[in-house]
């Protein structure tokens, strides 16, 4: 993978232009891959995104931290089918951080 000015660039074109890497990093047989995005996550690690209350923000932070262990770098918190009042209490709390 080639990075220039903090952005991934076309490695084939960069190679054929004769540019050399400034820094080489040996990943020691590890896989370099983009982070996963979970498009539907109702909660995890004891946190439930469908339960309104003071613990919702703490649960979001916990899940965000723990999902990194599995390569998930972003997720969309979702709410299971719930009473209408729950949606009014929960949805304003589910904001990007």
């Amino acid at each position: 993978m080639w990075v220039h000015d903090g952005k991934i660039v076309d490695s084939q074109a960069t190679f054929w232009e004769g540019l050399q890497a400034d820094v080489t990093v040996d990943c020691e047989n590890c896989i370099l891959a983009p982070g996963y995005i979970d498009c539907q996550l109702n909660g995890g690690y004891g946190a439930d995104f469908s339960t309104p209350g003071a613990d919702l923000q703490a649960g979001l932070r916990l899940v965000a931290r723990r999902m990194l262990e599995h390569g998930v770098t972003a997720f969309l918190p979702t709410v299971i089918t719930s009473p209408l009042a729950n949606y009014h209490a929960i949805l304003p709390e589910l904001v990007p951080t």
Side-chain angles (χ1 to χ4, degrees):
M1 179 176 76
W2 293 69
V3 178
H4 180 69
D5 289 334
K7 296 181 181 177
I8 298 172
V9 296
D10 181 346
S11 58
Q12 185 176 13
T14 304
F15 175 81
W16 289 111
E17 289 172 11
L19 299 177
Q20 298 295 316
D22 293 330
V23 176
T24 301
V25 177
D26 183 352
C27 292
E28 299 178 11
N29 294 319
C30 293
I31 296 173
L32 180 63
Y36 298 116
I37 300 173
D38 192 328
C39 297
Q40 180 181 351
L41 190 62
N42 298 323
Y45 308 101
D48 178 4
F49 302 155
S50 298
T51 303
D55 293 337
L56 183 58
Q57 289 298 319
L60 287 165
R61 287 190 300 274
L62 170 68
V63 170
R65 190 172 52 252
R66 296 289 308 272
M67 292 299 287
L68 288 171
E69 299 168 9
H70 304 283
V72 176
T73 58
F75 64 91
L76 177 63
T78 54
V79 180
I80 62 170
T81 304
S82 300
L84 185 58
N86 283 12
Y87 293 110
H88 290 293
I90 296 167
L91 293 181
E93 298 294 319
L94 300 180
V95 295
T97 59

